[in-house]
Amino acid sequence: MATLTTLLYSMVFYATLLIIPADCSLGYDLGKPKNHVPFFIFGDSFVDAGNNNYIGTGAIQANFWPYGQTLFHYPNGRFSDGRLSPDVIAEFANVPYIPPFLHPGVHQFSEGANFASSGAGVLVETFKGLVINLKTQLSYFKKVATGLRQELGDGEAKKLFSRAVYLISVGSNDYMYPFLSNSTIPESSQTQYVGRVIGNLTSVIQEIYKIGGRKFGFIRLGPLGCVPALRALKPENKGRCLEEALTLSKLHNKALSNLLRELESQFPELKYSNYDFYSFLRQRMKYPSKYGFKEGESACCGIGPLRGVMSCGGRGRVKNYQLCDKPSEYVFWDAIHLTDKAYQQMAEQMWNGTNPVVEGNYNLKSFFPSVAP
Ligand SMILES: *[C@@H]1O[C@H](CO)[C@@H](O)[C@H](O)[C@H]1NC(C)=O
Ligand SMILES: *[C@@H]1O[C@H](CO)[C@@H](O)[C@H](O)[C@H]1NC(C)=O
Ligand SMILES: *[C@@H]1O[C@H](CO)[C@@H](O)[C@H](O)[C@H]1NC(C)=O
């Protein structure tokens, strides 16, 4: 019975995915309004709609219960009890949920594509072998771009790429991976490490720009050292934030702001919106009730201090986990990721926030001008 229900739910879910016509070509739907805005998504688990379901066992995955329990009612690969912020943004923008690029039923990308992979970082070394790194994600986008150029001609394709929105959430894993794999980034090499991450990210942005991308959305890093997973890492820390990781996230965010200002002056057509996820999370962890939550620090699903041991669903090394009754009372769904409700709030700010909530002269709403006011 449970299996049948799950199956039915998944059929409904995939039916909604396939609103995008699966005509088996890298195609452009000629029936679409001429000004529609495609949505391309890159990065990590904050935005991965399920690509890791298709890269083999051992990958960093969330395709098991209780992931997805609240909204989709079945586990679909999102590290959330429900939606992620790009899903909510798709709702605001009045476009379908952007499906994972690797989903076997999806061959049509004029609405966009989601290339993100849980665990992915900018650096190739980050969770190597378990994720699709950012460079590989870029190579997938190039494939899509080539297909669209063949169908539309260079001129129309270029217009499509420049209307599109490119959302990038990346970096957290580059800084968490060393700590999660029983290593560290010594203080003496922090600046250099951040430089490598930013350097590699720069070339990805430039490549997308070269193809024709103009409208970029970024999600800054949260206070990494204070997510339950890193607070629970060393018993001797007694639940305090991991200072090294906190410092790295601040250094990265500063370097990202500088980079974007620099790119903007270098490429006059480049527009960006850099979302302040750091303050978002800090505020909600400190004052949960102000934002409609009961618990800001402990995760809903997991075990150990602050449920910070990543065991949600019991498929990892640790099998035991606790699950809260009402995820909507929590900011954190598991030891690293947020609940549907927190992602909804985040998406609202990304959509219509103004400086300093979003840095740059844009928010995502201004990138989707075809949406009726
Ligand atoms: C972590 O590293 C320390 C020292 O480098 C080592 O003693 C310890 O056994 C390692 N723990 C695990 C779980 O690998
Ligand atoms: C990109 O990252 C690699 C390590 O993965 C590093 O060796 C290289 O210097 C970085 N590139 C830039 C431009 O920083
Ligand atoms: C931003 O969008 C949210 C969700 O649609 C809405 O509730 C809120 O009123 C909007 N805020 C502004 C300032 O437009």
Side-chain angles (χ1 to χ4, degrees):
M1 187 57 204
T3 325
L4 182 62
T5 314
T6 312
L7 183 68
L8 283 175
Y9 276 126
S10 56
M11 284 166 67
V12 170
F13 177 69
Y14 286 120
T16 61
L17 271 182
L18 296 173
I19 286 170
I20 303 176
D23 62 2
C24 294
S25 63
L26 281 173
Y28 184 61
D29 178 356
L30 295 170
K32 270 192 210 323
K34 262 207 140 344
N35 61 348
H36 90 280
V37 177
F39 191 15
F40 293 104
I41 298 156
F42 299 82
D44 55 27
S45 53
F46 283 119
V47 296
D48 175 10
N51 278 307
N52 281 18
N53 299 348
Y54 309 107
I55 60 172
T57 52
I60 295 172
Q61 291 173 328
N63 50 0
F64 44 83
W65 198 260
Y67 286 97
Q69 67 161 23
T70 304
L71 197 87
F72 299 106
H73 306 294
Y74 95 101
N76 54 72
R78 287 169 173 81
F79 272 92
S80 165
D81 60 311
R83 296 161 302 171
L84 304 174
S85 48
D87 298 316
V88 182
I89 286 160
E91 288 172 15
F92 291 155
N94 212 4
V95 299
Y97 290 157
I98 304 301
F101 172 73
L102 294 181
H103 189 287
V106 178
H107 307 282
Q108 216 284 351
F109 301 106
S110 62
E111 294 273 14
N114 185 330
F115 304 104
S117 167
S118 299
V122 177
L123 302 179
V124 175
E125 293 86 346
T126 297
F127 291 113
K128 193 170 185 171
L130 307 177
V131 304
I132 308 157
N133 64 54
L134 191 63
K135 282 203 179 73
T136 309
Q137 294 179 29
L138 176 68
S139 74
Y140 290 160
F141 172 62
K142 286 181 176 169
K143 258 193 219 176
V144 168
T146 304
L148 287 168
R149 265 192 232 104
Q150 277 165 4
E151 290 220 10
L152 298 173
D154 285 353
E156 274 306 308
K158 193 123 200 173
K159 278 188 214 156
L160 188 81
F161 300 142
S162 72
R163 279 203 308 275
V165 174
Y166 303 82
L167 179 68
I168 303 178
S169 163
V170 80
S172 302
N173 291 308
D174 296 299
Y175 303 107
M176 289 195 295
Y177 172 65
F179 299 104
L180 294 175
S181 54
N182 195 26
S183 174
T184 181
I185 303 170
E187 210 178 316
S188 58
S189 57
Q190 281 179 345
T191 311
Q192 195 190 11
Y193 193 90
V194 173
R196 277 210 297 277
V197 172
I198 293 289
N200 281 275
L201 179 59
T202 307
S203 36
V204 170
I205 300 169
Q206 286 173 334
E207 296 255 2
I208 297 174
Y209 187 87
K210 221 165 29 181
I211 291 166
R214 294 295 179 266
K215 295 160 21 178
F216 292 85
F218 293 90
I219 300 175
R220 271 192 204 154
L221 304 189
L224 287 181
C226 299
V227 303
L230 294 195
R231 289 169 69 168
L233 203 55
K234 296 183 191 161
E236 66 269 25
N237 284 355
K238 297 195 164 63
R240 284 192 304 264
C241 296
L242 190 69
E243 285 301 325
E244 297 99 313
L246 199 55
T247 305
L248 284 160
S249 46
K250 288 182 196 160
L251 283 174
H252 174 94
N253 285 343
K254 205 163 170 203
L256 178 62
S257 293
N258 291 341
L259 168 68
L260 294 175
R261 273 196 294 275
E262 206 177 292
L263 289 174
E264 191 183 36
S265 63
Q266 203 178 332
F267 304 109
E269 289 175 29
L270 183 139
K271 299 170 180 166
Y272 70 89
S273 178
N274 189 15
Y275 174 60
D276 186 4
F277 182 50
Y278 192 98
S279 303
F280 171 90
L281 209 47
R282 259 273 138 115
Q283 286 294 311
R284 279 156 186 77
M285 290 173 77
K286 255 184 166 160
Y287 313 108
S289 60
K290 207 172 140 184
Y291 302 95
F293 298 99
K294 282 199 177 144
E295 175 57 54
E297 308 216 310
S298 171
C300 165
C301 185
I303 203 159
L306 302 172
R307 294 186 185 151
V309 174
M310 263 304 251
S311 66
C312 184
R315 296 292 185 92
R317 205 165 30 83
V318 182
K319 306 290 175 208
N320 293 335
Y321 67 97
Q322 297 166 322
L323 179 63
C324 71
D325 287 336
K326 293 191 180 137
S328 63
E329 293 177 346
Y330 286 70
V331 175
F332 284 97
W333 160 248
D334 68 16
I336 294 178
H337 308 96
L338 311 188
T339 53
D340 177 273
K341 179 167 165 180
Y343 282 132
Q344 157 97 35
Q345 293 185 2
M346 184 178 161
E348 283 183 19
Q349 292 196 335
M350 291 164 72
W351 181 250
N352 61 10
T354 53
N355 210 321
V357 170
V358 289
E359 198 180 62
N361 296 313
Y362 302 89
N363 52 31
L364 294 184
K365 188 178 180 181
S366 68
F367 285 165
F368 285 97
S370 51
V371 181

